[in-house]
Amino acid sequence: MKALFLVRYGEIGLKGKNRKFFENTLTKNIKRALLDVADCRIHQTYSRNFVEVVDGDAEAVAARLSQVFGIVSISPVAIAPLDLDEIKAVAKAEFEKITRPGVTFKVETKRANKRFPYKSPEVSREVGAHLLINIPDLKVDVRNPEIKLEVEIREHETYIYTRTIAGPGGLPVGVAGKGLLLISGGIDSPVAGWMSMKRGVTLEAIHFHSFPFTSDRAKEKVIDLCRELTRFGGKIRLHVAHFTEIQKELRLKTPERLTVTLMRRMMFRIAERLAEQRGALALITGESLGQVASQTMESINVIEKVTTIPVFRPLIGLDKEEIMNISRRIDTYPISIRPYEDCCTVFLPDFPATRPRLADVEEAEASLDIEALISESLAKTETLDITTNT
């Protein structure tokens, strides 16, 4: 037995001359998500994709499709020929799989194929009457039905379904260029990565590792977070940048109250260099305005002065509860709360500057050999390709 899914997209349909590129990218991403599913066929048509799999794999396939950005919804469908009697017969067979005594229902028809001789209301009326006659104890409720049977009449055949599964929406990963995510291991940055992928960004990530001040478990935690994100956008190249010497220098040579600001400026400098090497067009951070000392408007302004590349902050207007809710929904939260500190939390001053002045920060940096520190960090950077199965 085979199961067939009708896959819908939304925003892609608004694209003009580039629409084909978006559609082809979505199809490629669906194939990637189902790469290891045996006996799987994917067929792209105008405004729809169809996925055919072995019936026993249907639920697992539906779960994977519901994580592919660009997909608005998915329905398992039955096929009928372009014949009203055949449509009624298939509709009855599908309805009998889920009906129960006293259930309320309605039939809704979309007729994309305008050459079909019956208009949508006529099809809905005919199919609804057929169900009422042949299945006992049904009631029609057009406003709030317990079951909605949908009939979609297209060019070559008719699709009939009673179930619609929500997808994540957005744009297919790969249509919006590459971004470099600064990932810490906390709750926020993985969510920022997920939100960027939702807008079609291909993601690479950089993590700043300060061994032995931070443990290898902290690094493993970041690898696990990236692995979770691969479910939504495929392989992520993770760059683990050596940050130990930089933190030592900051602690020895700069005012304690400015170390958070100075540390973030060094991170941005290193990330920008790496972005240039990797063809990334923007940095992505998990900053939320006012959340911590480095995320006040004054701090963000001073920190960003060291970069010329755009910095995307998808979470800037969200509060912590909203960010945690997304984190739970995408399953990164249980990993993010593991108790292994990252370099942002070691050597944290008791009273970090929340309104740093650029002149003070630049004066503090005068004692550092910034170029040597950046070069040393990049030279020791470890690169890992993270996939769902690695």
Side-chain angles (χ1 to χ4, degrees):
M1 288 283 289
K2 294 282 189 175
L4 181 67
F5 290 95
L6 183 155
V7 180
R8 305 175 190 84
Y9 55 75
E11 195 173 339
I12 294 174
L14 303 176
K15 301 300 176 188
K17 294 180 180 176
N18 292 328
R19 176 171 170 161
K20 198 67 180 173
F21 165 66
F22 286 79
E23 289 177 332
N24 290 343
T25 305
L26 176 61
T27 301
K28 185 181 75 174
N29 291 349
I30 291 171
K31 289 178 178 175
R32 173 189 49 73
L34 304 179
L35 190 63
D36 61 342
V37 177
D39 208 8
C40 172
R41 291 181 61 240
I42 298 163
H43 177 53
Q44 177 183 329
T45 67
Y46 187 78
S47 78
R48 295 283 189 271
N49 278 83
F50 292 91
V51 176
E52 186 179 87
V53 295
V54 175
D55 197 35
D57 294 332
E59 288 303 316
V61 166
R64 290 195 195 182
L65 291 174
S66 70
Q67 295 174 341
V68 176
F69 287 122
I71 293 177
V72 169
S73 63
I74 310 135
S75 289
V77 297
I79 297 177
L82 294 173
D83 177 273
L84 186 56
D85 287 336
E86 295 278 4
I87 292 170
K88 288 192 285 188
V90 173
K92 175 175 172 288
E94 286 300 298
F95 203 90
E96 285 175 331
K97 293 177 183 176
I98 56 171
T99 190
R100 59 187 182 278
V103 74
T104 60
F105 80 104
K106 71 178 285 190
V107 178
E108 196 165 278
T109 303
K110 295 174 187 168
R111 191 180 62 124
N113 179 356
K114 301 304 181 189
R115 288 175 297 177
F116 190 72
Y118 300 92
K119 293 183 178 179
S120 297
E122 293 175 280
V123 175
S124 295
R125 190 166 56 246
E126 288 286 330
V127 171
H130 186 72
L131 298 179
L132 284 169
I133 292 168
N134 291 284
I135 300 176
D137 204 11
L138 294 184
K139 296 175 184 174
V140 174
D141 184 342
V142 296
R143 293 184 182 277
N144 189 28
E146 294 171 270
I147 297 174
K148 184 164 74 172
L149 185 138
E150 299 191 60
V151 179
E152 189 167 323
I153 300 169
R154 299 188 71 81
E155 189 67 21
H156 301 295
E157 52 199 3
T158 305
Y159 303 100
I160 297 166
Y161 50 92
T162 58
R163 183 184 173 203
T164 296
I165 303 157
L171 295 173
V173 171
V175 300
K178 185 190 291 182
L180 183 64
L181 172 69
L182 280 68
I183 187 166
S184 68
I187 293 170
D188 301 348
S189 50
V191 174
W194 181 84
M195 291 181 71
S196 301
M197 285 194 288
K198 188 175 182 181
R199 298 311 302 159
V201 173
T202 300
L203 212 61
E204 292 199 15
I206 181 169
H207 173 67
F208 297 93
H209 190 48
S210 281
F211 186 82
F213 303 124
T214 57
S215 69
D216 279 340
R217 286 190 171 184
K219 186 173 84 174
E220 287 299 323
K221 178 177 163 183
V222 171
I223 292 171
D224 288 346
L225 286 168
C226 287
R227 188 176 296 114
E228 281 298 319
L229 292 178
T230 63
R231 291 189 292 114
F232 303 96
K235 183 182 78 174
I236 292 177
R237 179 158 288 186
L238 170 65
H239 308 273
V240 182
H242 181 76
F243 209 62
T244 310
E245 300 309 317
I246 291 172
Q247 288 205 289
K248 284 182 181 175
E249 288 284 284
L250 293 178
R251 193 180 186 196
L252 285 172
K253 296 181 177 178
T254 63
E256 185 184 32
R257 60 183 292 275
L258 292 178
T259 52
V260 172
T261 307
L262 296 166
M263 181 180 68
R264 294 293 292 174
R265 281 166 64 93
M266 290 301 294
M267 289 176 173
F268 272 46
R269 288 183 175 108
I270 294 166
E272 184 176 45
R273 296 282 181 91
L274 186 63
E276 288 170 356
Q277 293 174 13
R278 296 295 308 155
L281 301 176
L283 305 183
I284 301 161
T285 77
E287 291 163 312
S288 165
L289 190 61
Q291 188 178 119
V292 294
S294 65
Q295 295 173 20
T296 64
M297 199 172 290
E298 292 85 351
S299 291
I300 289 172
N301 182 275
V302 168
I303 291 166
E304 197 169 314
K305 293 288 187 192
V306 299
T307 65
T308 56
I309 191 172
V311 180
F312 294 170
R313 298 179 172 87
L315 313 185
I316 198 71
L318 301 185
D319 63 31
K320 196 67 181 182
E321 190 62 33
E322 291 170 316
I323 296 168
M324 287 194 297
N325 286 340
I326 298 173
S327 177
R328 292 187 184 100
R329 203 168 74 224
I330 64 176
D331 293 330
T332 54
Y333 184 80
I335 303 170
S336 292
I337 61 172
R338 291 179 192 166
Y340 309 123
E341 289 187 318
D342 58 54
C343 69
C344 295
T345 55
V346 298
F347 307 140
L348 199 62
D350 291 335
F351 301 101
T354 56
R355 292 182 170 78
R357 295 192 319 141
L358 183 60
D360 296 338
V361 171
E362 289 179 339
E363 183 182 349
E365 286 178 338
S367 63
L368 304 172
D369 188 343
I370 290 174
E371 277 305 312
L373 290 170
I374 292 173
S375 297
E376 194 245 2
S377 176
L378 288 171
K380 293 182 177 178
T381 293
E382 178 187 10
T383 299
L384 305 166
D385 283 334
I386 311 298
T387 65
T388 307
N389 299 316
T390 60

